[in-house]
Amino acid sequence: MSGSGGRGQGPGRGAGGAGSQGGPGAARRTPGGPGRSGRQGGRSDGGRSDGGRSDGGRFDEDRFDDGRSDDGRSDGDRSDGGRSSGTGRSSGTGRSGSAENPPRRPRDRLDPLDLPFGHNDGRTRPPREPGEEPRGRSRPGDDGPQGRSQGRSQGRSRDDGPRGRSRDRDDDDPPRRRAPQSRDDGDRPRGRAPRSRDEDERLRGRVQGRDERASGRSGDRAGDRAGERGPGRPGDGSAGRAADRAADRAADRAEDRRRPGRQEDAPGRRTPASRPPAGGSRADAARGRTTAGTSGRTTGRTTGRRDGDGPPPRGPRRPPPPPRPPLVLRLGSPRRRINIGLIGMTFVLSIFAGRLIQMQGLESKVYAAAAADQRQHTETIPAKRGSITDVHGNELAVTVEAREVSIDPTKVPAAVRAGAAKLLAQQLGKDEREIAAKLSRTGTHYQLLARDVDPVVATRLLQAPIPALAAKKTYRRLYPAGDLAGSLIGFVGDEGSGLGGMEQAKNSLLAGRDGKKRVETGRDGQQIPMTSSERTAPEDGQDVRLTIDRDIQWAAQKSIGDQVRKSGAESGTVIVMDVRTAQIVAMANAPELDLNNWRKAPQSHYVNKAAADVFEPGSTNKVITAAAALEAGEVTPDTVFQVPDRIRCTDQVLRDAHAHKTESMTFRQAMAQSSNVATVMAARKVGSERLHRMLTAFGFGSTPGGGVPGAEAGLLPDYKKWSGSQNCTVAYGQGVSVTALQMASVYQTIANGGVKIEPRIVAGTKDATGRFVPAPPGKQTKVVSETTAREISTMLESAVGEEGTGQLAAIDGYRVAGKTGTANRYDARLGRYDGYTASFVGFAPADDPRLVVLSVLQNPKNGHFGGQLAAPVFKDVMTFAIKSMKIPPTGSAAPQVRMRAGQ
């Protein structure tokens, strides 16, 4: 592009040498500072003389390569056409543009990065007026090309007159870059208020100032070129011009680097102010630029010479808008964070304070008690269980001191577990694998290794190198006699309670009452020394004395055991009872329970069969039929019956044990030979109702008293429900069910003169002081008369005689009365009759009875008659019992009685 200032001659640069010393930075960066004054005052009075115009002409940019900046834009492009002379760039006190006096470095503009924080290097940033556009942008119609043209026209009219309009853009002027077209008034953004006249004037003044600075730089360069073509002014040399140009380029480059985002101030760029207004022509735009350039020069000269001439001075230049700041993570207001933190801390502390008030004030006693419970522990002091003895005080079950050995597996190192398991297994009599498995359970702090450990063994183990081993004092139940009366005595479980027999029946007396000890313990469970403790002494259990005689019990148990094995029977029972007191002297079962190994025994051995096993008595029940017939007066022992070997009873035919012809039999003979047909004939004389009453009186269908554990009541159906055959079979002991204890009580009643005494198994108890308290006697009931009882006794004595079925029960030197029994056995598992029940029951001496012995064998395989299998057991047990109890024989002979008819 061509610069208007380039057309001036020597007068145009006369003061321009001095004006160029002001530097571009001073004119462009200080709004009203020395740079502007230098531009105004540095011009010669002849500023734009005709001589300068005729000699200068246009210059060609191509001839001056150094007039282009580093980025490819010429110095002429930086001005508004280069019309301002060199004097427009100088200040009143400007420096020389020579090499000796280099141009002054332009004053740095505001750093855009400092603008958001309010730092402006002392320059005042004018406030934005309402509706004002953002800084750095020109408003259409105000800052656009028309405004610049007006500024230039005003300057030209003052000095040059009509010539300003005749200078249009030359054809060889290089084209200027087009800046983005600014909006006109019609394109003003919505919501903004229209600008006032004062505001428009300020904006026009700012645009005019920029044009003047650009015109001044172009004028300097044009003047230099004109000086080269024509006669120069004093002080104008090539070195000075080159220095001016170099200074201009350096200032422009510095400004570009500082303002990378400002298109309107960038060198060689067309700002919105140079854009032609909407609806105008290019010629109008060119004229506007020419006018603006001329006006800028005139204004510069006039202002330099006289104050008050030309347009009013511009206000401070508004700094460009800051670049978009980088994305910064904003942490928010510190005060707000502090307030939120204080509120949170207050809330948490209030919760702590409330909890503290609750614990220390409102519920202090509750927590104090809870703390005491954690520290204090109650230990149970086991009471010593009472002993069970026989009638003479011999111990059948006794309690001794023992230890309960336990260990904490978590404290046993893995390296010593194998050795510890082996040692513990050897001493405790346990399986090594079982002990090793318990030691490997590290998830628990307690593993019980063994109970009922001998104290000597426990002490030996505690001295062994086994960590975390503990021994607790307990009591151990011992049974010195082993299996003697095992099912009768029963056993004690791991918790110290009786689980069967007398141990269970008399548990409250035997167990006593445990004591308590309240102590304070530490974390490891050890008692804290010198702390308070409460102790309640235990109350030991009472000793229970049974009516059992240990020796007789042993004999009875041995005899029935041997016979069970010989006969192949499933089980056997023996009961020995005192006739006068109904005390049970012996109650034996075979097989018997071994109390020292009760855990290994089958459950069938736990049952006391003598009191709980129910069976049909068979012929031993004929004494009740005889008692009913004699009491009713229907028969006497000498009554004769014509007895066939069979009899029809409704739809069934009943037979005797042995086939025989019809023969005459006395009732005594029928009892001695155990004739079923003769017994049915006698029962028909009595009737079912009276027979049922007699059975009930002897205790059938009711549980015998006396505290015998596990005693059963048997089965006695109501006579009204008896079937046709049952009216006959009940007479000889089929169709009713009893226990061995009930049948023994029947013979005790006959032997006692018809007085039934409730059986007893407990003789009494012994308290802690050792005082013996006998048990009350059994209840007595008169069942039959003494005469009836004596007559039945003589008939039973005949049954053991030479013509009786119980000859194997006879004892030398003693008169023995008894009765055999053989009955079909009902098997509940099969639901039908299967096998036999062989029994024998009697008493001795017959004339002065002292003992009753009953023996029963269930389902024998080698024989099935009572006289054959059970009578020998009776004899053995009765013989031993008489000798053991020192019962002398009476020495009397058996009376002569009529056995057969016709005698």
Side-chain angles (χ1 to χ4, degrees):
M1 296 178 65
S2 61
S4 300
R7 298 184 180 90
Q9 293 181 356
R13 294 287 297 178
S20 63
Q21 297 174 7
R28 287 195 291 182
R29 287 164 177 77
T30 307
R36 186 174 290 112
S37 299
R39 186 181 299 119
Q40 295 173 0
R43 280 199 175 274
S44 63
D45 295 336
R48 297 191 62 84
S49 64
D50 294 335
R53 299 181 56 169
S54 63
D55 190 29
R58 293 191 299 270
F59 71 93
D60 189 358
E61 280 183 322
D62 298 336
R63 295 174 56 191
F64 300 94
D65 297 337
D66 56 356
R68 184 177 297 275
S69 62
D70 295 340
D71 56 357
R73 292 189 294 269
S74 64
D75 294 338
D77 288 341
R78 295 179 183 276
S79 67
D80 192 13
R83 295 184 179 86
S84 61
S85 62
T87 57
R89 297 182 61 84
S90 64
S91 62
T93 61
R95 293 177 296 176
S96 172
S98 63
E100 293 81 1
N101 190 11
R104 184 179 179 181
R105 183 183 178 185
R107 185 177 180 181
D108 293 340
R109 293 177 58 94
L110 293 175
D111 187 356
L113 297 177
D114 295 335
L115 294 176
F117 304 96
H119 178 66
N120 57 7
D121 293 338
R123 290 187 288 270
T124 305
R125 181 177 182 180
R128 183 183 298 177
E129 295 294 334
E132 183 179 350
E133 288 287 334
R135 298 176 182 179
R137 297 181 181 178
S138 60
R139 295 180 61 85
D142 296 337
D143 272 348
Q146 293 179 358
R148 293 184 179 180
S149 301
Q150 291 175 4
R152 297 190 186 105
S153 300
Q154 292 175 2
R156 184 178 297 277
S157 62
R158 183 175 300 174
D159 295 333
D160 299 333
R163 289 178 299 177
R165 294 189 178 273
S166 65
R167 294 178 181 177
D168 295 332
R169 176 180 176 181
D170 297 333
D171 295 335
D172 56 352
D173 290 344
R176 297 173 58 91
R177 284 188 181 179
R178 288 182 177 272
Q181 186 173 357
S182 61
R183 293 189 296 252
D184 57 7
D185 293 342
D187 296 331
R188 182 179 294 121
R190 297 179 181 178
R192 295 183 179 178
R195 287 195 291 262
S196 62
R197 178 177 296 179
D198 295 338
E199 188 176 358
D200 292 340
E201 291 295 334
R202 275 196 310 274
L203 295 175
R204 277 195 293 271
R206 295 171 187 167
V207 174
Q208 182 176 356
R210 288 194 297 269
D211 295 339
E212 288 173 358
R213 290 192 297 274
S215 299
R217 290 193 300 271
S218 300
D220 291 340
R221 290 188 288 274
D224 294 339
R225 297 186 186 97
E228 292 177 0
R229 290 191 298 268
R233 296 179 62 86
D236 292 339
S238 60
R241 289 192 299 273
D244 289 345
R245 287 193 297 272
D248 290 340
R249 286 195 299 271
D252 292 340
R253 285 194 298 270
E255 182 178 359
D256 290 341
R257 286 193 298 270
R258 295 186 185 92
R259 300 171 61 192
R262 299 282 294 181
Q263 293 182 358
E264 61 272 25
D265 294 334
R269 293 185 182 181
R270 186 171 181 176
T271 62
S274 63
R275 182 180 300 172
S281 63
R282 289 183 177 272
D284 295 337
R287 286 193 299 272
R289 287 193 297 272
T290 305
T291 306
T294 307
S295 176
R297 290 194 301 271
T298 305
T299 303
R301 297 189 198 101
T302 306
T303 306
R305 293 191 301 268
R306 294 179 300 273
D307 293 338
D309 296 339
R314 293 178 300 173
R317 183 179 179 184
R318 182 171 299 174
R324 179 176 296 177
L327 294 176
V328 179
L329 179 61
R330 297 185 179 273
L331 299 179
S333 174
R335 180 176 299 177
R336 181 168 52 190
R337 291 197 302 271
I338 293 174
N339 291 339
I340 293 175
L342 290 176
I343 292 174
M345 292 175 61
T346 304
F347 178 73
V348 173
L349 291 176
S350 64
I351 294 177
F352 289 162
R355 183 63 173 166
L356 184 62
I357 293 173
Q358 178 188 6
M359 295 176 64
Q360 297 292 338
L362 301 179
E363 299 180 359
S364 60
K365 295 182 179 180
V366 176
Y367 286 101
D373 290 341
Q374 289 183 347
R375 187 175 66 255
Q376 296 181 356
H377 296 275
T378 301
E379 297 181 358
T380 301
I381 304 175
K384 184 178 180 181
R385 190 176 183 86
S387 300
I388 299 177
T389 64
D390 70 344
V391 69
H392 302 295
N394 298 314
E395 291 179 341
L396 301 177
V398 64
T399 299
V400 297
E401 188 174 327
R403 296 291 184 270
E404 186 178 90
V405 180
S406 62
I407 197 170
D408 184 355
T410 61
K411 297 181 180 180
V412 180
V416 301
R417 287 177 188 168
K422 183 177 181 180
L423 179 60
L424 290 171
Q426 291 176 355
Q427 296 294 326
L428 299 176
K430 300 285 186 178
D431 185 47
E432 184 176 349
R433 289 175 297 179
E434 178 184 354
I435 300 297
K438 291 183 178 181
L439 294 181
S440 62
R441 296 172 186 172
T442 57
T444 178
H445 291 277
Y446 177 82
Q447 278 294 310
L448 179 63
L449 299 180
R451 289 187 174 94
D452 301 337
V453 180
D454 189 91
V456 177
V457 177
T459 303
R460 189 184 306 121
L461 288 175
L462 291 176
Q463 295 174 354
I466 301 177
L469 192 67
K472 179 182 178 182
K473 179 181 178 181
T474 57
Y475 290 102
R476 178 185 180 186
R477 195 69 165 174
L478 292 180
Y479 302 95
D483 65 346
L484 188 68
S487 59
L488 172 64
I489 295 174
F491 51 89
V492 176
D494 295 335
E495 302 299 327
S497 299
L499 298 180
M502 296 303 301
E503 295 277 21
Q504 183 178 14
K506 301 297 180 180
N507 184 71
S508 59
L509 292 175
L510 294 169
R513 183 177 299 176
D514 293 340
K516 293 182 180 180
K517 183 179 181 181
R518 192 174 184 87
V519 297
E520 295 186 15
T521 58
R523 184 177 182 180
D524 57 352
Q526 297 294 328
Q527 183 177 355
I528 301 175
M530 307 301 292
T531 56
S532 60
S533 61
E534 299 178 2
R535 186 178 186 276
T536 302
E539 297 180 6
D540 293 340
Q542 299 181 18
D543 295 342
V544 175
R545 181 180 295 180
L546 302 181
T547 60
I548 298 295
D549 188 300
R550 182 183 62 178
D551 298 336
I552 299 175
Q553 176 71 28
W554 175 83
Q557 194 165 317
K558 183 180 181 300
S559 179
I560 191 63
D562 293 342
Q563 190 65 14
V564 166
R565 286 190 293 272
K566 288 179 182 180
S567 63
E570 292 183 0
S571 62
T573 299
V574 172
I575 294 178
V576 180
M577 185 180 293
D578 191 315
V579 173
R580 300 176 180 178
T581 60
Q583 292 181 353
I584 300 173
V585 178
M587 183 175 281
N589 295 284
E592 190 58 273
L593 174 64
D594 184 2
L595 297 178
N596 292 323
N597 295 291
W598 61 268
R599 290 180 177 87
K600 299 179 181 180
Q603 293 186 357
S604 60
H605 294 181
Y606 296 167
V607 179
N608 181 16
K609 296 179 177 61
D613 198 1
V614 177
F615 60 93
E616 294 185 359
S619 297
T620 57
N621 191 55
K622 292 177 180 178
V623 295
I624 299 177
T625 304
L630 293 174
E631 284 288 311
E634 297 294 336
V635 295
T636 65
D638 297 331
T639 302
V640 178
F641 294 95
Q642 297 299 320
V643 181
D645 63 348
R646 66 193 62 186
I647 187 173
R648 175 172 291 275
C649 188
T650 62
D651 58 343
Q652 291 187 5
V653 176
L654 305 178
R655 302 176 183 274
D656 275 339
H658 303 282
H660 60 86
K661 296 179 180 180
T662 302
E663 59 179 331
S664 299
M665 289 185 183
T666 61
F667 190 54
R668 181 179 287 108
Q669 182 183 2
M671 290 292 295
Q673 295 179 0
S674 189
S675 173
N676 293 334
V677 175
T679 305
V680 170
M681 296 172 65
R684 285 178 175 178
K685 293 179 177 290
V686 175
S688 298
E689 182 178 358
R690 285 189 292 182
L691 180 59
H692 183 272
R693 284 201 303 264
M694 186 60 66
L695 293 171
T696 304
F698 274 99
F700 282 26
S702 61
T703 303
V708 179
E712 294 291 339
L715 179 63
L716 176 63
D718 188 1
Y719 71 95
K720 296 179 181 178
K721 298 179 181 179
W722 290 353
S723 63
S725 60
Q726 196 172 7
N727 287 320
C728 301
T729 59
V730 170
Y732 57 86
Q734 296 280 178
V736 293
S737 298
V738 296
T739 64
L741 181 59
Q742 287 176 320
M743 187 54 62
S745 179
V746 170
Y747 281 80
Q748 178 270 330
T749 303
I750 299 298
N752 196 36
V755 176
K756 179 179 178 294
I757 302 176
E758 190 176 57
R760 291 191 302 162
I761 193 67
V762 178
T765 59
K766 183 187 292 185
D767 57 16
T769 61
R771 183 175 61 91
F772 177 74
V773 179
K779 181 181 179 182
Q780 298 183 5
T781 305
K782 185 69 173 179
V783 177
V784 294
S785 63
E786 185 176 356
T787 302
T788 301
R790 190 181 306 113
E791 290 177 349
I792 294 175
S793 295
T794 58
M795 288 189 293
L796 293 176
E797 190 174 0
S798 300
V800 182
E802 294 178 357
E803 296 183 8
T805 58
Q807 297 177 7
L808 296 178
I811 301 173
D812 295 339
Y814 288 88
R815 294 173 59 181
V816 177
K819 183 71 181 72
T820 60
T822 303
N824 292 321
R825 179 177 178 272
Y826 181 81
D827 194 330
R829 292 174 298 179
L830 300 176
R832 58 182 175 83
Y833 285 95
D834 182 73
Y836 295 91
T837 299
S839 60
F840 185 93
V841 56
F843 49 87
D847 54 340
D848 187 13
R850 296 286 305 275
L851 296 175
V852 174
V853 175
L854 177 143
S855 63
V856 180
L857 287 95
Q858 297 291 343
N859 197 21
K861 299 298 187 294
N862 301 324
H864 61 277
F865 292 108
Q868 179 186 359
L869 300 176
V873 176
F874 168 86
K875 179 180 180 178
D876 293 341
V877 174
M878 180 65 78
T879 302
F880 185 90
I882 290 174
K883 293 179 179 180
S884 178
M885 296 181 67
K886 298 181 170 55
I887 299 174
T890 59
S892 61
Q896 295 293 326
V897 293
R898 181 185 176 188
M899 292 294 296
R900 295 178 180 273
Q903 287 182 350

